[in-house]
Each structure stands twice: as C-alpha cells, then as structure tokens.
Amino acid sequence: MSDDVKPVGWIASSLKDLRAFPDEVMDEIGHALYEAQRGGKHEAAKPLKGFKGAGVLEVVENYDGDTYRAVYTVRFAEVIYVLHCFQKKSKSGIATPKQDLDLIQARLKTAEVEYEEWKKLNKK
C-alpha cells in the first residue's frame, strides 16, 4: 500500500446515510475506505455484481441482525467516491435490489462528472 492517501468524495446523501449507521458499522466501513484511500483493499470489500470493470466495490457489514452496505468506486486515479450507503431491507436473498443498483449507476455517472471538475481544480 502507498503512503499517499487519496481524498474521498461523497456522492449525494452517502455521507449522511453512513452517519446514520451504528458506530461499529461506521468504524468498519471507515477502515475499509481508508484502506482504499491508501491503495489497498479491505478484506470485507468485494466487487459489486453488475459493474464489471468499473472498479465498484461494496463493503457489507452485519450488526445486531441487520445488514449495512457501503458502495464506493476506485475507478478514478486520484479520488475514492462513495456512491451509496444503505441498510439492506430485502428479505429475499443477498442480491442488491434493482432500485439500489439503478441509484448506484446514476451516482457513478455523477462521480464521473465530479471527478472531471475535481481534476480541473486540482491541476498540478
């Protein structure tokens, strides 16, 4: 892992949503994001199905009978973007609901635009 730490960008309500999680879940997801910022991958981070090659990962944390997820992308060279944080409500399997996948896809497009703006502002 690198000593350089990439900044984290928060798309839409992802930061507010993460802050609503239990402290233990926030800590674990925060640790996973920190590892991503340093160029590594947390043991709980897995590629999100349906986003082949896009560098979209999810961290799944179980706490007190509930499941929490944070989805982020390492697709951009200089910034980690958190796309979506949510508590999984569905009782029908472990698959991510289509509504959440659609939201993640839309937020990934938003992250692309924000990254281009970020690059313009941070030219070296």
Side-chain angles (χ1 to χ4, degrees), residues 61-95:
E61 286 297 321
N62 294 310
Y63 177 78
D64 200 24
D66 293 315
T67 300
Y68 299 86
R69 293 182 177 194
V71 178
Y72 65 94
T73 184
V74 294
R75 179 178 181 177
F76 309 105
E78 301 169 89
V79 181
I80 305 296
Y81 283 100
V82 180
L83 304 173
H84 190 31
C85 296
F86 61 105
Q87 180 179 353
K88 186 162 183 308
K89 304 274 188 194
S90 172
K91 303 296 182 205
S92 59
I94 62 170

mmCIF file of all heavy atoms in Angstrom, residues 61-95:
data_model
loop_
_atom_site.group_PDB
_atom_site.id
_atom_site.type_symbol
_atom_site.label_atom_id
_atom_site.label_comp_id
_atom_site.label_asym_id
_atom_site.label_seq_id
_atom_site.Cartn_x
_atom_site.Cartn_y
_atom_site.Cartn_z
ATOM 1 N N GLU A 61 -21.504 -5.145 6.063
ATOM 2 C CA GLU A 61 -21.304 -5.332 7.496
ATOM 3 C C GLU A 61 -22.616 -5.764 8.134
ATOM 4 O O GLU A 61 -23.660 -5.140 7.907
ATOM 5 C CB GLU A 61 -20.827 -4.026 8.153
ATOM 6 C CG GLU A 61 -19.392 -3.694 7.861
ATOM 7 C CD GLU A 61 -18.415 -4.721 8.393
ATOM 8 O OE1 GLU A 61 -18.629 -5.248 9.510
ATOM 9 O OE2 GLU A 61 -17.429 -5.010 7.697
ATOM 10 N N ASN A 62 -22.541 -6.821 8.910
ATOM 11 C CA ASN A 62 -23.703 -7.275 9.672
ATOM 12 C C ASN A 62 -23.544 -6.811 11.106
ATOM 13 O O ASN A 62 -22.461 -6.906 11.678
ATOM 14 C CB ASN A 62 -23.810 -8.804 9.616
ATOM 15 C CG ASN A 62 -24.096 -9.280 8.208
ATOM 16 O OD1 ASN A 62 -24.995 -8.794 7.554
ATOM 17 N ND2 ASN A 62 -23.301 -10.218 7.742
ATOM 18 N N TYR A 63 -24.634 -6.292 11.662
ATOM 19 C CA TYR A 63 -24.592 -5.804 13.036
ATOM 20 C C TYR A 63 -25.973 -5.945 13.650
ATOM 21 O O TYR A 63 -26.966 -5.447 13.096
ATOM 22 C CB TYR A 63 -24.141 -4.338 13.064
ATOM 23 C CG TYR A 63 -24.134 -3.751 14.448
ATOM 24 C CD1 TYR A 63 -23.100 -4.036 15.328
ATOM 25 C CD2 TYR A 63 -25.163 -2.941 14.875
ATOM 26 C CE1 TYR A 63 -23.093 -3.521 16.610
ATOM 27 C CE2 TYR A 63 -25.170 -2.416 16.153
ATOM 28 C CZ TYR A 63 -24.135 -2.702 17.019
ATOM 29 O OH TYR A 63 -24.130 -2.196 18.296
ATOM 30 N N ASP A 64 -26.041 -6.612 14.769
ATOM 31 C CA ASP A 64 -27.276 -6.728 15.553
ATOM 32 C C ASP A 64 -28.449 -7.215 14.700
ATOM 33 O O ASP A 64 -29.562 -6.698 14.793
ATOM 34 C CB ASP A 64 -27.582 -5.380 16.199
ATOM 35 C CG ASP A 64 -28.528 -5.519 17.391
ATOM 36 O OD1 ASP A 64 -28.578 -6.612 17.997
ATOM 37 O OD2 ASP A 64 -29.216 -4.525 17.709
ATOM 38 N N GLY A 65 -28.178 -8.177 13.820
ATOM 39 C CA GLY A 65 -29.232 -8.762 12.989
ATOM 40 C C GLY A 65 -29.557 -7.984 11.726
ATOM 41 O O GLY A 65 -30.418 -8.401 10.956
ATOM 42 N N ASP A 66 -28.899 -6.861 11.507
ATOM 43 C CA ASP A 66 -29.145 -6.050 10.316
ATOM 44 C C ASP A 66 -27.918 -6.069 9.412
ATOM 45 O O ASP A 66 -26.804 -6.294 9.872
ATOM 46 C CB ASP A 66 -29.463 -4.599 10.699
ATOM 47 C CG ASP A 66 -30.783 -4.469 11.445
ATOM 48 O OD1 ASP A 66 -31.774 -5.091 11.008
ATOM 49 O OD2 ASP A 66 -30.824 -3.743 12.454
ATOM 50 N N THR A 67 -28.123 -5.795 8.127
ATOM 51 C CA THR A 67 -27.034 -5.756 7.159
ATOM 52 C C THR A 67 -26.925 -4.348 6.591
ATOM 53 O O THR A 67 -27.920 -3.762 6.164
ATOM 54 C CB THR A 67 -27.284 -6.762 6.022
ATOM 55 O OG1 THR A 67 -27.370 -8.074 6.590
ATOM 56 C CG2 THR A 67 -26.158 -6.734 5.011
ATOM 57 N N TYR A 68 -25.710 -3.831 6.605
ATOM 58 C CA TYR A 68 -25.420 -2.490 6.108
ATOM 59 C C TYR A 68 -24.424 -2.600 4.964
ATOM 60 O O TYR A 68 -23.521 -3.437 5.009
ATOM 61 C CB TYR A 68 -24.821 -1.626 7.226
ATOM 62 C CG TYR A 68 -25.752 -1.461 8.394
ATOM 63 C CD1 TYR A 68 -25.785 -2.401 9.425
ATOM 64 C CD2 TYR A 68 -26.628 -0.386 8.461
ATOM 65 C CE1 TYR A 68 -26.650 -2.264 10.490
ATOM 66 C CE2 TYR A 68 -27.500 -0.240 9.525
ATOM 67 C CZ TYR A 68 -27.511 -1.182 10.543
ATOM 68 O OH TYR A 68 -28.377 -1.040 11.596
ATOM 69 N N ARG A 69 -24.598 -1.737 3.969
ATOM 70 C CA ARG A 69 -23.708 -1.773 2.810
ATOM 71 C C ARG A 69 -23.226 -0.366 2.468
ATOM 72 O O ARG A 69 -23.982 0.597 2.571
ATOM 73 C CB ARG A 69 -24.428 -2.356 1.597
ATOM 74 C CG ARG A 69 -24.776 -3.814 1.768
ATOM 75 C CD ARG A 69 -25.436 -4.347 0.531
ATOM 76 N NE ARG A 69 -25.686 -5.771 0.696
ATOM 77 C CZ ARG A 69 -25.995 -6.579 -0.285
ATOM 78 N NH1 ARG A 69 -26.079 -6.123 -1.513
ATOM 79 N NH2 ARG A 69 -26.205 -7.848 -0.066
ATOM 80 N N ALA A 70 -21.997 -0.311 2.054
ATOM 81 C CA ALA A 70 -21.427 0.920 1.504
ATOM 82 C C ALA A 70 -20.815 0.561 0.160
ATOM 83 O O ALA A 70 -20.081 -0.424 0.053
ATOM 84 C CB ALA A 70 -20.374 1.502 2.432
ATOM 85 N N VAL A 71 -21.137 1.330 -0.854
ATOM 86 C CA VAL A 71 -20.645 1.084 -2.203
ATOM 87 C C VAL A 71 -19.774 2.270 -2.601
ATOM 88 O O VAL A 71 -20.176 3.427 -2.451
ATOM 89 C CB VAL A 71 -21.812 0.920 -3.200
ATOM 90 C CG1 VAL A 71 -21.293 0.717 -4.615
ATOM 91 C CG2 VAL A 71 -22.708 -0.245 -2.774
ATOM 92 N N TYR A 72 -18.578 1.952 -3.083
ATOM 93 C CA TYR A 72 -17.649 3.009 -3.486
ATOM 94 C C TYR A 72 -16.929 2.591 -4.752
ATOM 95 O O TYR A 72 -16.967 1.434 -5.153
ATOM 96 C CB TYR A 72 -16.659 3.330 -2.360
ATOM 97 C CG TYR A 72 -15.710 2.211 -1.999
ATOM 98 C CD1 TYR A 72 -14.444 2.136 -2.566
ATOM 99 C CD2 TYR A 72 -16.072 1.225 -1.081
ATOM 100 C CE1 TYR A 72 -13.563 1.110 -2.231
ATOM 101 C CE2 TYR A 72 -15.206 0.203 -0.747
ATOM 102 C CZ TYR A 72 -13.953 0.154 -1.319
ATOM 103 O OH TYR A 72 -13.086 -0.864 -0.993
ATOM 104 N N THR A 73 -16.287 3.575 -5.385
ATOM 105 C CA THR A 73 -15.547 3.273 -6.598
ATOM 106 C C THR A 73 -14.091 3.713 -6.479
ATOM 107 O O THR A 73 -13.800 4.767 -5.914
ATOM 108 C CB THR A 73 -16.191 3.900 -7.855
ATOM 109 O OG1 THR A 73 -15.457 3.477 -9.011
ATOM 110 C CG2 THR A 73 -16.235 5.420 -7.803
ATOM 111 N N VAL A 74 -13.226 2.866 -7.007
ATOM 112 C CA VAL A 74 -11.797 3.166 -7.109
ATOM 113 C C VAL A 74 -11.441 3.360 -8.585
ATOM 114 O O VAL A 74 -10.284 3.282 -8.965
ATOM 115 C CB VAL A 74 -10.931 2.045 -6.473
ATOM 116 C CG1 VAL A 74 -11.173 1.988 -4.984
ATOM 117 C CG2 VAL A 74 -11.199 0.697 -7.127
ATOM 118 N N ARG A 75 -12.435 3.632 -9.364
ATOM 119 C CA ARG A 75 -12.287 3.758 -10.816
ATOM 120 C C ARG A 75 -11.418 4.953 -11.215
ATOM 121 O O ARG A 75 -10.795 4.950 -12.264
ATOM 122 C CB ARG A 75 -13.680 3.911 -11.408
ATOM 123 C CG ARG A 75 -13.745 4.076 -12.884
ATOM 124 C CD ARG A 75 -15.186 4.151 -13.296
ATOM 125 N NE ARG A 75 -15.308 4.277 -14.726
ATOM 126 C CZ ARG A 75 -16.462 4.309 -15.355
ATOM 127 N NH1 ARG A 75 -17.580 4.224 -14.684
ATOM 128 N NH2 ARG A 75 -16.506 4.420 -16.642
ATOM 129 N N PHE A 76 -11.379 5.976 -10.374
ATOM 130 C CA PHE A 76 -10.672 7.205 -10.709
ATOM 131 C C PHE A 76 -9.310 7.216 -10.026
ATOM 132 O O PHE A 76 -9.184 6.828 -8.871
ATOM 133 C CB PHE A 76 -11.523 8.414 -10.317
ATOM 134 C CG PHE A 76 -12.921 8.315 -10.869
ATOM 135 C CD1 PHE A 76 -13.978 7.997 -10.040
ATOM 136 C CD2 PHE A 76 -13.161 8.499 -12.225
ATOM 137 C CE1 PHE A 76 -15.264 7.869 -10.545
ATOM 138 C CE2 PHE A 76 -14.450 8.371 -12.740
ATOM 139 C CZ PHE A 76 -15.504 8.059 -11.901
ATOM 140 N N ALA A 77 -8.319 7.686 -10.731
ATOM 141 C CA ALA A 77 -6.929 7.575 -10.274
ATOM 142 C C ALA A 77 -6.641 8.338 -8.983
ATOM 143 O O ALA A 77 -5.808 7.904 -8.193
ATOM 144 C CB ALA A 77 -5.985 8.052 -11.380
ATOM 145 N N GLU A 78 -7.319 9.443 -8.747
ATOM 146 C CA GLU A 78 -6.910 10.320 -7.659
ATOM 147 C C GLU A 78 -7.928 10.504 -6.542
ATOM 148 O O GLU A 78 -7.626 11.161 -5.544
ATOM 149 C CB GLU A 78 -6.541 11.693 -8.236
ATOM 150 C CG GLU A 78 -5.413 11.609 -9.265
ATOM 151 C CD GLU A 78 -5.232 12.907 -10.006
ATOM 152 O OE1 GLU A 78 -4.454 13.743 -9.502
ATOM 153 O OE2 GLU A 78 -5.862 13.086 -11.062
ATOM 154 N N VAL A 79 -9.140 9.978 -6.685
ATOM 155 C CA VAL A 79 -10.191 10.178 -5.683
ATOM 156 C C VAL A 79 -10.981 8.887 -5.529
ATOM 157 O O VAL A 79 -11.264 8.196 -6.505
ATOM 158 C CB VAL A 79 -11.162 11.323 -6.091
ATOM 159 C CG1 VAL A 79 -12.228 11.549 -5.030
ATOM 160 C CG2 VAL A 79 -10.416 12.615 -6.368
ATOM 161 N N ILE A 80 -11.345 8.570 -4.282
ATOM 162 C CA ILE A 80 -12.279 7.479 -3.991
ATOM 163 C C ILE A 80 -13.651 8.119 -3.821
ATOM 164 O O ILE A 80 -13.792 9.072 -3.051
ATOM 165 C CB ILE A 80 -11.901 6.761 -2.667
ATOM 166 C CG1 ILE A 80 -10.465 6.262 -2.682
ATOM 167 C CG2 ILE A 80 -12.904 5.659 -2.333
ATOM 168 C CD1 ILE A 80 -10.157 5.208 -3.692
ATOM 169 N N TYR A 81 -14.654 7.628 -4.533
ATOM 170 C CA TYR A 81 -16.007 8.179 -4.388
ATOM 171 C C TYR A 81 -16.916 7.156 -3.724
ATOM 172 O O TYR A 81 -17.006 6.014 -4.175
ATOM 173 C CB TYR A 81 -16.595 8.566 -5.747
ATOM 174 C CG TYR A 81 -16.036 9.861 -6.277
ATOM 175 C CD1 TYR A 81 -15.027 9.868 -7.227
ATOM 176 C CD2 TYR A 81 -16.508 11.090 -5.804
ATOM 177 C CE1 TYR A 81 -14.491 11.053 -7.704
ATOM 178 C CE2 TYR A 81 -15.974 12.282 -6.273
ATOM 179 C CZ TYR A 81 -14.980 12.256 -7.223
ATOM 180 O OH TYR A 81 -14.446 13.434 -7.683
ATOM 181 N N VAL A 82 -17.601 7.589 -2.667
ATOM 182 C CA VAL A 82 -18.612 6.754 -2.021
ATOM 183 C C VAL A 82 -19.927 7.062 -2.724
ATOM 184 O O VAL A 82 -20.373 8.214 -2.765
ATOM 185 C CB VAL A 82 -18.711 7.032 -0.505
ATOM 186 C CG1 VAL A 82 -19.779 6.138 0.123
ATOM 187 C CG2 VAL A 82 -17.355 6.813 0.162
ATOM 188 N N LEU A 83 -20.517 6.027 -3.298
ATOM 189 C CA LEU A 83 -21.694 6.193 -4.133
ATOM 190 C C LEU A 83 -23.001 6.002 -3.378
ATOM 191 O O LEU A 83 -23.997 6.672 -3.671
ATOM 192 C CB LEU A 83 -21.642 5.207 -5.302
ATOM 193 C CG LEU A 83 -20.388 5.281 -6.173
ATOM 194 C CD1 LEU A 83 -20.382 4.135 -7.179
ATOM 195 C CD2 LEU A 83 -20.277 6.623 -6.863
ATOM 196 N N HIS A 84 -23.009 5.083 -2.420
ATOM 197 C CA HIS A 84 -24.286 4.757 -1.762
ATOM 198 C C HIS A 84 -24.005 4.014 -0.462
ATOM 199 O O HIS A 84 -23.145 3.135 -0.421
ATOM 200 C CB HIS A 84 -25.101 3.870 -2.708
ATOM 201 C CG HIS A 84 -26.518 3.608 -2.324
ATOM 202 N ND1 HIS A 84 -27.292 4.504 -1.624
ATOM 203 C CD2 HIS A 84 -27.318 2.532 -2.551
ATOM 204 C CE1 HIS A 84 -28.517 3.993 -1.455
ATOM 205 N NE2 HIS A 84 -28.541 2.792 -2.012
ATOM 206 N N CYS A 85 -24.716 4.380 0.579
ATOM 207 C CA CYS A 85 -24.673 3.670 1.866
ATOM 208 C C CYS A 85 -26.114 3.382 2.252
ATOM 209 O O CYS A 85 -26.957 4.292 2.246
ATOM 210 C CB CYS A 85 -24.009 4.528 2.946
ATOM 211 S SG CYS A 85 -22.277 4.908 2.616
ATOM 212 N N PHE A 86 -26.395 2.123 2.565
ATOM 213 C CA PHE A 86 -27.779 1.783 2.876
ATOM 214 C C PHE A 86 -27.852 0.544 3.748
ATOM 215 O O PHE A 86 -26.925 -0.254 3.811
ATOM 216 C CB PHE A 86 -28.591 1.572 1.590
ATOM 217 C CG PHE A 86 -28.118 0.454 0.696
ATOM 218 C CD1 PHE A 86 -28.804 -0.744 0.639
ATOM 219 C CD2 PHE A 86 -26.990 0.599 -0.109
ATOM 220 C CE1 PHE A 86 -28.375 -1.781 -0.190
ATOM 221 C CE2 PHE A 86 -26.556 -0.416 -0.947
ATOM 222 C CZ PHE A 86 -27.256 -1.604 -0.985
ATOM 223 N N GLN A 87 -28.990 0.435 4.426
ATOM 224 C CA GLN A 87 -29.285 -0.763 5.206
ATOM 225 C C GLN A 87 -30.127 -1.649 4.306
ATOM 226 O O GLN A 87 -31.141 -1.204 3.761
ATOM 227 C CB GLN A 87 -30.049 -0.406 6.470
ATOM 228 C CG GLN A 87 -30.382 -1.615 7.311
ATOM 229 C CD GLN A 87 -31.133 -1.252 8.594
ATOM 230 O OE1 GLN A 87 -31.293 -0.091 8.920
ATOM 231 N NE2 GLN A 87 -31.586 -2.254 9.290
ATOM 232 N N LYS A 88 -29.689 -2.871 4.129
ATOM 233 C CA LYS A 88 -30.422 -3.795 3.265
ATOM 234 C C LYS A 88 -31.698 -4.223 3.958
ATOM 235 O O LYS A 88 -31.666 -4.745 5.060
ATOM 236 C CB LYS A 88 -29.577 -5.012 2.913
ATOM 237 C CG LYS A 88 -30.269 -5.897 1.892
ATOM 238 C CD LYS A 88 -29.311 -6.835 1.232
ATOM 239 C CE LYS A 88 -29.971 -7.660 0.175
ATOM 240 N NZ LYS A 88 -31.154 -8.359 0.570
ATOM 241 N N LYS A 89 -32.817 -3.979 3.309
ATOM 242 C CA LYS A 89 -34.130 -4.282 3.888
ATOM 243 C C LYS A 89 -34.731 -5.571 3.330
ATOM 244 O O LYS A 89 -35.533 -6.200 3.984
ATOM 245 C CB LYS A 89 -35.111 -3.138 3.599
ATOM 246 C CG LYS A 89 -34.644 -1.784 4.065
ATOM 247 C CD LYS A 89 -34.992 -1.549 5.486
ATOM 248 C CE LYS A 89 -34.666 -0.102 5.849
ATOM 249 N NZ LYS A 89 -34.662 0.141 7.243
ATOM 250 N N SER A 90 -34.334 -5.934 2.125
ATOM 251 C CA SER A 90 -34.938 -7.074 1.444
ATOM 252 C C SER A 90 -34.700 -8.373 2.189
ATOM 253 O O SER A 90 -33.618 -8.645 2.677
ATOM 254 C CB SER A 90 -34.363 -7.197 0.035
ATOM 255 O OG SER A 90 -34.799 -8.389 -0.559
ATOM 256 N N LYS A 91 -35.732 -9.160 2.262
ATOM 257 C CA LYS A 91 -35.616 -10.477 2.893
ATOM 258 C C LYS A 91 -35.435 -11.575 1.854
ATOM 259 O O LYS A 91 -35.343 -12.741 2.185
ATOM 260 C CB LYS A 91 -36.889 -10.786 3.715
ATOM 261 C CG LYS A 91 -37.192 -9.747 4.775
ATOM 262 C CD LYS A 91 -36.111 -9.683 5.821
ATOM 263 C CE LYS A 91 -36.469 -8.668 6.885
ATOM 264 N NZ LYS A 91 -35.345 -8.110 7.576
ATOM 265 N N SER A 92 -35.366 -11.192 0.571
ATOM 266 C CA SER A 92 -35.300 -12.195 -0.497
ATOM 267 C C SER A 92 -33.873 -12.353 -1.004
ATOM 268 O O SER A 92 -33.527 -11.891 -2.083
ATOM 269 C CB SER A 92 -36.235 -11.791 -1.636
ATOM 270 O OG SER A 92 -35.865 -10.530 -2.132
ATOM 271 N N GLY A 93 -33.031 -12.982 -0.209
ATOM 272 C CA GLY A 93 -31.681 -13.277 -0.657
ATOM 273 C C GLY A 93 -30.708 -12.148 -0.378
ATOM 274 O O GLY A 93 -31.029 -11.148 0.244
ATOM 275 N N ILE A 94 -29.476 -12.347 -0.897
ATOM 276 C CA ILE A 94 -28.411 -11.387 -0.614
ATOM 277 C C ILE A 94 -28.181 -10.410 -1.755
ATOM 278 O O ILE A 94 -27.369 -9.508 -1.635
ATOM 279 C CB ILE A 94 -27.087 -12.111 -0.277
ATOM 280 C CG1 ILE A 94 -26.616 -12.948 -1.462
ATOM 281 C CG2 ILE A 94 -27.225 -12.930 0.982
ATOM 282 C CD1 ILE A 94 -25.221 -13.499 -1.313
ATOM 283 N N ALA A 95 -28.896 -10.593 -2.871
ATOM 284 C CA ALA A 95 -28.685 -9.722 -4.028
ATOM 285 C C ALA A 95 -29.046 -8.282 -3.689
ATOM 286 O O ALA A 95 -29.961 -8.016 -2.919
ATOM 287 C CB ALA A 95 -29.526 -10.204 -5.201
#
